[in-house]
Amino acid sequence: FSPSDLDGVDMVLTAIDDVDLSRDIGRRCRELRIPVNVADDPSYCDFYFGSQIRRGPLQVMISTNGKGPKLANIIRRKIEEAIPEGAGEAIEKVGLLRERLKERAPGVGGEVGKRRMKWMIELCTAWGMDDLARLEDEQMEKMLVEGWEKHLVLSPEEVGVKSQS
């Protein structure tokens, strides 16, 4: 290692079998205001690597701040098992529905914003994840015309979402 190795770098990860050198690199990085991760030495870390779950737009990060990476991995697996199969697709569909609702009822805050938020909360609470994941364009339109416009949250059956069974 040469101190010039730090010239022009944005971040540093040191994972070498020399504790003193790793800490020296960590100190130099701090002096130069370069974020650093000194492997197996959390007190010298400005950032940590977490255990991550990605399902489409759903992202869950588990971190132990470097104190128990294996435990983070075990916890990640337990959380991952609990996430419903269609969660990523359901989030995509709810996002599309929200965009359409914002076009129909624009604005931030105020009474319309509160009503929009309340309607989306009621919808997400009333519908199952699988039903949300199966929403199609024409069903979203029906929800907006016959639901939103009439201050109702329609059921999956009322908009024609077919049961998976």
Side-chain angles (χ1 to χ4, degrees), residues 39-133:
D40 292 330
D41 199 340
S43 68
Y44 278 80
C45 294
D46 295 319
F47 63 92
Y48 307 98
F49 296 97
S51 194
Q52 185 176 24
I53 301 166
R54 282 185 182 220
R55 298 261 179 94
L58 176 65
Q59 294 183 44
V60 180
M61 174 69 83
I62 296 91
S63 173
T64 60
N65 288 342
K67 295 179 191 245
K70 182 58 185 173
L71 288 178
N73 182 269
I74 291 168
I75 292 165
R76 179 198 49 82
R77 280 188 275 135
K78 289 179 185 265
I79 292 171
E80 197 166 29
E81 290 170 6
I83 296 171
E85 188 71 31
E89 187 66 22
I91 293 166
E92 289 286 351
K93 299 294 177 81
V94 166
L96 290 171
L97 182 62
R98 283 186 73 217
E99 287 175 22
R100 288 180 171 191
L101 180 56
K102 285 188 216 178
E103 289 171 7
R104 186 177 287 270
V108 177
E111 291 307 310
V112 172
K114 287 179 189 174
R115 180 175 164 232
R116 202 175 51 227
M117 185 183 298
K118 182 178 184 282
W119 189 79
M120 288 301 303
I121 289 169
E122 288 175 6
L123 171 73
C124 290
T125 303
W127 282 47
M129 198 78 61
D130 290 337
D131 293 329
L132 290 168

Side-chain angles (χ1 to χ4, degrees), residues 3-32:
S4 65
D5 291 339
L6 299 176
D7 293 346
V9 300
D10 295 319
M11 67 173 25
V12 171
L13 164 64
T14 175
I16 55 178
D17 285 335
D18 185 333
V19 174
D20 292 332
L21 179 56
S22 288
R23 289 180 175 170
D24 182 51
I25 292 169
R27 277 190 292 277
R28 290 173 187 274
C29 287
R30 289 245 170 93
E31 289 169 8
L32 297 168

